[in-house]
Amino acid sequence: MTEKKVNPIRMQQILVAVSVALFVIKLIAWWLTSSVAILTDALESSVNVIAGFIGLYSIILSSKPRDKEHPYGHGKVEFLSSAIEGVLISIAGFIIIYEGINNFIHPHELKQLDFGLALVALTGAINYLVGYYCIKKGREENSPILIASGSHLQSDTYSSIGLLLGVGLILLTGFAWIDSVAAIIFAFIIIYTGYKIIRKSISGIMDEADGAIIDQIVGILNEHRQNDWIDVHNMRVIDYAGFYHIDCHLTVPYYINVNEAHEVLDRLTELFKQHFDNKVEFFIHVDGCIPQKQCSICNIPDCPVRQSAFLNHVSWTHDNILSNKKHSLKNEKFS
């Protein structure tokens, strides 16, 4: 049975609602305990709320169809949104460090830690489950903002585990300074999480090559290779947050006419549309083959202009498919 696809907008709405609820619970826990570690956890949750609304807006915007002003669609806004979320997460981490140091200098009495522990444990469990589901669906839909939101929620869980250990040690030992140490340690974890989200977002904005997608394309081409796809090279892939723009050069028999070449392209593009669930567009430059150089890698039967026997195909790889050169069996590369 085919699994039902998630609606990214609906998913982000759920994330916003969950973030608001958890933020309120953490504020209550801080108010009851006066723990700076729990306060820092609440501060990070406030970032979740802000980022959640930004993410919701970006997903709504990215789902709009292409128009004259945005011929490739609006998907890039998701990378910008997740970058903002990463920055906010990092800022929250630095605020937590400040509060932890300040608590060392001006310590205050802690209270009702047992009840605070219970609330923190509850929010941690909810964060992990929702974050796991969000990352899973974000990868399926290739949505950077859903992945970023899920990663953020799971980082909250790890922070909550640290807080539980720290506050638990305070209950056992009575050493209140542990509260500040726990806050500072997990502030650095939060900052690192923010950095990773920013790094991934910038790579999307800058159209950094996605090795995993290119490997998928190479695998599909080799698996479904057809005789009149003599060579593929100079491939470029741009990810518009789940919608792929792919351009490449395809070498076909030089003697076929325009209509026949178009039929070859249609077969190739249809293959990729099926694999990527229609979230792909191709711009393909057609090259004619060079008989004296490429007959040995061409397996077209009864070719009327063949000058040498077919020996073997050139296996397309991650590296040679990106090269702006035609290929030959002897690994010659020529324009």
Side-chain angles (χ1 to χ4, degrees):
M1 182 179 294
T2 303
E3 186 176 356
K4 184 179 180 181
K5 286 187 173 294
V6 68
N7 183 328
I9 296 177
R10 179 60 177 164
M11 188 69 206
Q12 191 66 25
Q13 289 172 335
I14 293 173
L15 287 177
V16 171
V18 169
S19 297
V20 172
L22 295 182
F23 175 58
V24 172
I25 292 173
K26 289 179 181 181
L27 281 180
I28 294 172
W30 165 69
W31 179 72
L32 291 172
T33 63
S34 297
S35 166
V36 67
I38 293 177
L39 172 61
T40 57
D41 202 25
L43 283 175
E44 190 191 4
S45 286
S46 70
V47 175
N48 282 352
V49 174
I50 298 171
F53 280 105
I54 294 175
L56 179 59
Y57 170 74
S58 74
I59 288 180
I60 292 173
L61 181 59
S62 67
S63 66
K64 293 175 61 177
R66 290 177 287 177
D67 52 39
K68 292 181 180 179
E69 289 75 25
H70 306 88
Y72 295 104
H74 303 76
K76 287 286 186 180
V77 71
E78 289 201 31
F79 290 118
L80 179 60
S81 175
S82 54
I84 293 173
E85 180 171 352
V87 170
L88 292 175
I89 292 171
S90 300
I91 291 173
F94 285 110
I95 293 174
I96 291 169
I97 292 174
Y98 170 80
E99 291 294 336
I101 294 173
N102 186 59
N103 192 52
F104 266 125
I105 301 171
H106 306 289
H108 53 268
E109 181 183 358
L110 302 176
K111 52 191 178 182
Q112 298 189 64
L113 291 180
D114 52 348
F115 191 65
L117 277 173
L119 291 178
V120 170
L122 173 64
T123 60
I126 295 173
N127 270 329
Y128 185 83
L129 293 174
V130 176
Y132 173 82
Y133 184 75
C134 187
I135 292 174
K136 179 174 179 286
K137 294 303 178 182
R139 286 172 177 165
E140 289 176 4
E141 299 294 325
N142 197 33
S143 171
I145 188 60
L146 285 181
I147 295 173
S149 297
S151 299
H152 191 180
L153 289 173
Q154 288 200 330
S155 74
D156 277 1
T157 300
Y158 305 140
S159 299
S160 297
I161 292 172
L163 291 178
L164 289 172
L165 293 174
V167 176
L169 284 174
I170 296 172
L171 284 172
L172 292 174
T173 65
F175 296 146
W177 55 266
I178 295 176
D179 186 45
S180 295
V181 172
I184 292 173
I185 289 174
F186 283 90
F188 283 106
I189 295 176
I190 290 168
I191 291 171
Y192 180 65
T193 299
Y195 161 76
K196 289 195 297 182
I197 292 174
I198 294 170
R199 174 69 184 85
K200 184 172 179 60
S201 301
I202 290 175
S203 71
I205 293 172
M206 298 295 293
D207 295 327
E208 182 177 307
D210 188 330
I213 296 299
I214 293 172
D215 287 340
Q216 282 188 50
I217 292 172
V218 169
I220 295 167
L221 286 171
N222 283 314
E223 181 180 357
H224 300 277
R225 186 169 195 153
Q226 299 184 16
N227 288 336
D228 46 12
W229 302 350
I230 298 173
D231 187 36
V232 179
H233 56 281
N234 197 27
M235 178 166 285
R236 300 291 183 267
V237 181
I238 302 176
D239 181 1
Y240 286 89
F243 186 87
Y244 296 102
H245 172 85
I246 303 174
D247 60 75
C248 66
H249 289 201
L250 175 67
T251 302
V252 299
Y254 77 87
Y255 54 82
I256 65 176
N257 62 41
V258 174
N259 288 334
E260 291 170 329
H262 196 272
E263 289 177 2
V264 175
L265 298 184
D266 284 344
R267 281 187 269 120
L268 180 63
T269 55
E270 184 61 30
L271 174 66
F272 280 98
K273 284 181 179 179
Q274 291 177 5
H275 182 83
F276 289 105
D277 196 26
N278 276 320
K279 295 181 178 179
V280 63
E281 66 176 358
F282 262 95
F283 279 78
I284 303 177
H285 172 80
V286 177
D287 289 333
C289 65
I290 304 176
Q292 66 271 28
K293 295 288 188 177
Q294 294 186 293
C295 284
S296 61
I297 65 171
C298 173
N299 195 27
I300 294 179
D302 302 321
C303 175
V305 296
R306 181 175 295 282
Q307 298 184 16
S308 60
F310 166 75
L311 297 177
N312 202 356
H313 287 302
V314 171
S315 180
W316 293 313
T317 67
H318 183 115
D319 292 329
N320 69 20
I321 206 169
L322 299 180
S323 173
N324 187 19
K325 299 289 182 180
K326 295 179 183 177
H327 304 102
S328 71
L329 189 60
K330 296 179 181 179
N331 293 321
E332 291 183 72
K333 296 181 179 180
F334 45 89
S335 298

